[in-house]
Amino acid sequence: MTQPPPPPPQQPPQGGGFGPPQDQPPQDQPPQPPPPAAGPNLGKAPEPGYGYPQAPQAPQAPQAPQTPPPAAPQAPPTPPQGYGYPQGAPAPQAPQAPQGPPGYGYPGQQPGAYGQPQQAPYGQPGYGQPGYGQQPGYGYPQQPTMPYQPQAGQPGGGKKLNAQVLIIVAAVVAIALIIGGGVWYASSGKDEGKQNDTAGQSGGTGGTDDDNGGTTSGKEKAPSDPSAKVLFQVPAPEVKNDSTVVVSGSWLADKAYVKSGIAQIVGYDRDKGSELWKLPLSGPVCQASRHVTDDNLTAILYQPAMPTKADPSHGCSQIALIDLDAGKRLWTKTVKTGDQLINFDNITLSGKTVAVGSTSGGAAFDVSGKLLWSPKPTDSCYDAGYGGGEKLVAVRKCGSYDQRQLHIQTIDPKSGKVISEYKMTEGIEYASIVSTNPLVVAADVGDSAGDGSGISDFFSIDSKTGKLRTRISAPGEQFAARCEGITRVEACNLLAVGNDRLYLPTEEHDGTGKYSQTNEIVAFDLATGKQTGQRADAGDGYTISPLRMDGGNLIAYKRPPYDKGGQVVSIAGGSFKETTLLQNPANESVRDVETSMSPEYSEFLYAEGHLYMSKVYASKRSTVREKEYLAVGFGTG
């Protein structure tokens, strides 16, 4: 068994930002890694307080039920050259399923000796001040965006790494998390109110279930035949060296499925996959807003030039507004502090306001290109990032690390004026905006999650008064939702908010089959913090993940077992009855492509009988293997 490497180097970022002066400028010092934790207890109901759950095992592929040979446990295969995902304790080998081509993962460069910094993905800066000198390991364990690829025949997902190893995972993946690979689920398009929102956005206040638990309170209707076929596959882009390139960002417009490529954004016909338009960029996309305006506009961060070996990053200084219908860049803006361009960590959209945040503070532009606000050099607090959608919420940092206080501020998107404010307990270093309406924030309190999920608790906040409604304990050993939160405050997935409830998947556990894994989705009341008693079972061999709200209903994806195709289902908000909206083919070649894009580490969009999956990284490895794709579309009818 491989010994885990020692904790990564510790290095704080510096910088002030936009906001009222405070007594002391922010000085980040990294938190200490939590101690190893006890194993998961998946059968019990959530308890108050915070445990030390174990870190998540990399996503595992389904396996065929065969009699396992009596053998000692073996460690997972060592990834070949690639942006590494360190593995934890060895897992027992399950019976081998039919082998398909490995899917998403293993790009780029071989991990260095333990404790050594890893090379950032191609074109990506490290963490820190403008210029982003690389400081591996800064911050607590976080969501890995380039996981170890699940292989057929390995045990099902849901197993977790040792907490100490997750500290090392943070060192390896922190670079990519700064600017790349957003993992989210988004709503569809015009028929969904044109908010290509994260699963965290509110989808309605309720609805009436029909007799069959159908979708009368939502717009997604079950087809007469939910059987789907592959509509198109977009080949993985060519990468000319051994590095990894961020290709995060995908949206649905009226006629186009839009996906980021290498220094470009391309619009594809939603049914045929034929190219409708192509928008070249001067450098790779760093971050992409998940929100879309009513007239199909969205926003991105990108680099001003293509990286080279001599200059692997030019910083994420370019803020652009994109017309998804016309395939045009309407404007590009930058913000300076003194004579230096600010490199931003995150970008969002609320109404007609584009907002960006960083350790140097936050800025915002109207969709016309007018600057609304920018960092003030005299500020001792700074806007680390924003949550968008129906409202605009800032995560504002004040104080030094040992006296850090986060201010969760609902602000006027036109002026930046603070409408309400909730001050989190001192010592909470990072927070993520799960939803802006209702306002829900996730945080890892006291670094107690211990599993890299970034979540130990959810905070339900009244956005009008700034008062805490309730606090929900969500131990990582029981629940599978994830938030990055360190630099990308909206980077939450595997969860949804609607009906004044928070919907979370449980961690995977043994199913009824001999070697099967499964899980459930449960609901929490955002007024009381208690579970509602509603539960949606994935079904034996399947694992279920929330995608988004559809009015009063929840849209969810079911990752399949080894011999079936995946499903998209609508879960009625009242009865929690499931209606199948889409059923993917079960043949091996299609299933290999589908399962190469796991819900944890890929972008999923569902609307009107269409399911689109896409990757957030491209690498040279993608050009070596056969059947590697940037995106794939499935459709019914």
Side-chain angles (χ1 to χ4, degrees):
M1 173 172 153
T2 303
Q3 293 297 319
Q10 300 176 349
Q11 187 74 19
Q14 305 294 329
F18 172 76
Q22 299 292 322
D23 294 336
Q24 190 173 8
Q27 296 179 355
D28 292 341
Q29 295 293 333
Q32 297 301 313
N41 182 357
L42 302 176
K44 66 178 182 179
E47 298 176 357
Y50 329 110
Y52 286 88
Q54 298 299 305
Q57 179 75 5
Q60 304 297 322
Q63 44 302 158
Q66 299 177 11
T67 303
Q74 301 176 3
T78 301
Q81 299 274 330
Y83 182 70
Y85 181 21
Q87 301 301 302
Q93 293 299 307
Q96 298 296 312
Q99 295 292 326
Y104 176 73
Y106 302 144
Q109 176 188 11
Q110 177 71 22
Y114 66 82
Q116 298 301 314
Q118 301 300 308
Q119 177 179 337
Y122 182 62
Q124 303 310 311
Y127 187 84
Q129 279 295 99
Y132 288 101
Q134 168 61 16
Q135 302 296 340
Y138 177 76
Y140 61 78
Q142 55 199 275
Q143 175 185 343
T145 54
M146 286 298 294
Y148 165 70
Q149 167 61 26
Q151 298 289 333
Q154 292 185 4
K159 306 298 185 284
K160 297 200 170 188
L161 295 171
N162 180 277
Q164 182 180 4
V165 176
L166 259 294
I167 303 296
I168 309 309
V169 176
V172 178
V173 304
I175 309 165
L177 289 171
I178 305 304
I179 50 170
V183 182
W184 64 79
Y185 303 99
S187 63
S188 60
K190 193 168 185 177
D191 290 342
E192 294 300 323
K194 292 316 299 166
Q195 282 294 339
N196 239 11
D197 288 349
T198 164
Q201 294 303 315
S202 173
T205 58
T208 303
D209 301 338
D210 63 20
D211 293 339
N212 297 318
T215 58
T216 56
S217 61
K219 295 182 179 180
E220 300 292 353
K221 304 299 181 183
S224 57
D225 181 4
S227 299
K229 62 182 179 180
V230 177
L231 298 176
F232 62 86
Q233 296 166 324
V234 179
E238 180 181 358
V239 177
K240 297 181 180 180
N241 56 33
D242 293 333
S243 297
T244 299
V245 185
V246 173
V247 290
S248 66
S250 58
W251 308 267
L252 287 177
D254 291 339
K255 297 180 180 180
Y257 166 67
V258 184
K259 174 62 186 168
S260 294
I262 298 179
Q264 66 180 12
I265 299 175
V266 181
Y268 302 93
D269 183 278
R270 289 176 62 160
D271 292 308
K272 303 175 183 178
S274 53
E275 191 174 297
L276 301 177
W277 53 261
K278 181 184 294 184
L279 174 61
L281 300 171
S282 59
V285 172
C286 302
Q287 291 287 333
S289 172
R290 63 195 65 182
H291 307 292
V292 175
T293 67
D294 290 337
D295 50 354
N296 287 319
L297 306 180
T298 194
I300 63 168
L301 285 170
Y302 69 99
Q303 294 191 51
M306 287 299 295
T308 63
K309 289 185 177 180
D311 192 357
S313 174
H314 298 280
C316 292
S317 59
Q318 309 297 298
I319 308 162
L321 187 71
I322 308 298
D323 185 330
L324 297 174
D325 286 330
K328 294 181 179 180
R329 183 175 58 216
L330 301 182
W331 50 254
T332 298
K333 302 292 182 179
T334 59
V335 182
K336 289 185 177 181
T337 175
D339 295 332
Q340 298 293 321
L341 288 176
I342 296 177
N343 293 320
F344 290 99
D345 300 324
N346 53 76
I347 187 167
T348 195
L349 189 66
S350 179
K352 294 184 177 181
T353 297
V354 177
V356 288
S358 73
T359 56
S360 294
F365 294 85
D366 185 84
V367 292
S368 67
K370 176 185 176 182
L371 178 66
L372 300 176
W373 66 83
S374 61
K376 295 180 176 64
T378 57
D379 287 346
S380 56
C381 296
Y382 64 94
D383 288 0
Y386 301 92
E390 295 183 29
K391 296 186 178 183
L392 186 62
V393 177
V395 176
R396 189 167 180 79
K397 290 193 173 187
C398 297
S400 60
Y401 170 71
D402 56 348
Q403 294 181 318
R404 171 77 71 212
Q405 187 167 52
L406 301 183
H407 298 202
I408 308 301
Q409 299 177 334
T410 298
I411 60 180
D412 184 336
K414 295 181 180 179
S415 67
K417 179 181 178 181
V418 176
I419 298 171
S420 68
E421 177 177 77
Y422 172 72
K423 295 181 180 180
M424 303 192 76
T425 303
E426 284 190 7
I428 298 176
E429 183 71 9
Y430 307 102
S432 299
I433 305 299
V434 176
S435 168
T436 61
N437 187 32
L439 179 52
V440 180
V441 173
D444 185 3
V445 179
D447 302 330
S448 60
D451 63 347
S453 67
I455 304 170
S456 67
D457 295 80
F458 292 92
F459 297 78
S460 175
I461 301 168
D462 187 324
S463 62
K464 294 181 179 179
T465 65
K467 294 182 179 180
L468 181 68
R469 300 175 65 197
T470 191
R471 177 170 167 173
I472 299 170
S473 176
E477 65 180 7
Q478 296 179 35
F479 300 102
R482 309 182 68 84
C483 290
E484 191 259 298
I486 293 179
T487 60
R488 297 178 298 138
V489 300
E490 277 191 309
C492 294
N493 69 315
L494 306 181
L495 77 176
V497 172
N499 304 320
D500 207 33
R501 290 168 182 165
L502 169 66
Y503 299 99
L504 298 178
T506 64
E507 285 287 357
E508 295 178 29
H509 54 81
D510 291 341
T512 57
K514 193 169 184 180
Y515 303 113
S516 69
Q517 294 279 296
T518 190
N519 75 328
E520 302 80 33
I521 292 175
V522 297
F524 288 86
D525 190 308
L526 290 175
T528 66
K530 297 180 180 180
Q531 286 198 36
T532 64
Q534 296 167 308
R535 181 174 119 168
D537 295 321
D540 200 43
Y542 290 89
T543 53
I544 190 169
S545 304
L547 297 186
R548 63 172 175 87
M549 297 304 299
D550 173 36
N553 297 332
L554 175 66
I555 305 297
Y557 171 72
K558 290 186 176 183
R559 186 172 172 87
Y562 79 98
D563 58 347
K564 299 183 184 299
Q567 297 178 351
V568 175
V569 297
S570 176
I571 301 172
S575 67
F576 246 47
K577 292 181 180 179
E578 296 180 23
T579 300
T580 301
L581 302 178
L582 179 144
Q583 170 69 62
N584 279 340
N587 68 74
E588 183 177 353
S589 61
V590 175
R591 193 174 62 250
D592 286 342
V593 175
E594 178 178 5
T595 57
S596 74
M597 301 186 189
S598 70
E600 292 87 347
Y601 306 109
S602 303
E603 297 171 348
F604 279 44
L605 301 174
Y606 176 81
E608 300 172 337
H610 292 66
L611 173 64
Y612 304 93
M613 304 176 178
S614 64
K615 295 182 179 180
V616 296
Y617 286 95
S619 67
K620 187 174 182 179
R621 188 174 181 80
S622 299
T623 66
V624 174
R625 277 205 192 99
E626 296 179 357
K627 299 182 181 179
E628 286 287 328
Y629 299 99
L630 173 66
V632 58
F634 298 92
T636 61

